[in-house]
Amino acid sequence: AQSVAQPEDQVNVAEGNPLTVKCTYSVSGNPYLFWYVQYPNRGLQFLLKYITGDNLVKGSYGFEAEFNKSQTSFHLKKPSALVSDSALYFCAVRDPYGNNRLAFGKGNQVVVIP
Amino acid sequence: NAGVMQNPRHLVRRRGQEARLRCSPMKGHSHVYWYRQLPEEGLKFMVYLQKENIIDESGMPKERFSAEFPKEGPSILRIQQVVRGDSAAYFCASSPGVGVRNTEAFFGQGTRLTVV
């Protein structure tokens, strides 16, 4: 069964500094990987995905993520964090031979300090 | 094109009552998924439906929970005889279908169920 680990509970970063949110996954075969962001009392917004092709994926709001097959990782990055990036970030994996169900990590709270 | 619409946004039920949560997928989407988010936890898959069919209900509790996606109208997640442990945010997501081009699911804003 597919699973995702997001090892840190909270990520604190100063505004303007690089932001990294870590994610490792476990799935049989080649994974489909996703990042979603959740603002308070809101639903999940899709940020980006890796399906195939280039390991570096660019998404919404200046975010990008790098797929690393050997390390089974898909870390989310942003070169310069904004205060408005403060939110809950979820990594998710889907088994491409499965039925579309997503397995989510527990989420990381990102706090960008002005 | 409206997004995934869930209602109500907030629902309060007394223990033993029934809760009915509704989800209208994005236009053109025929696949619906329900997830539950407990406090301080990530989202857990509950059930995956296509029109009139349950495809995967492996994440549904065995009792009191049911889901449907009729030919006409929204998908309904029904919780009978609610207990305090059912208090959570319930999210619905939809996608156009399976396949490489239809990989991401789009989420609604959720229904926050509080059982008192």
Side-chain angles (χ1 to χ4, degrees), chain A residues 4-111:
Chain A
V4 165
Q6 293 182 247
E8 301 161 313
D9 288 331
Q10 182 164 310
V11 176
N12 295 325
V13 62
E15 186 178 23
N17 281 4
L19 169 63
T20 299
V21 189
K22 295 180 180 178
C23 170
T24 58
Y25 67 89
S26 174
V27 68
S28 57
N30 296 319
Y32 290 172
L33 293 157
F34 305 83
W35 276 100
Y36 286 85
V37 59
Q38 184 181 30
Y39 296 98
N41 297 315
R42 301 290 297 275
L44 274 70
Q45 296 180 29
F46 170 76
L47 277 180
L48 50 78
K49 66 180 178 182
Y50 172 82
I51 303 302
T52 187
D54 290 341
N55 289 343
L56 185 64
V57 178
K58 294 189 182 297
S60 306
Y61 312 122
F63 284 94
E64 59 187 28
E66 185 167 10
F67 171 62
N68 188 318
K69 188 173 184 178
S70 63
Q71 297 184 3
T72 63
S73 67
F74 189 56
H75 301 330
L76 181 70
K77 300 180 181 182
K78 186 171 184 178
S80 178
L82 302 172
V83 173
S84 58
D85 293 329
S86 299
L88 193 55
Y89 290 80
F90 290 99
C91 182
V93 67
R94 202 195 102 187
D95 180 349
Y97 301 105
N99 61 10
N100 279 9
R101 60 185 290 180
L102 291 167
F104 283 87
K106 64 177 173 58
N108 286 127
Q109 184 67 50
V110 169
V111 178

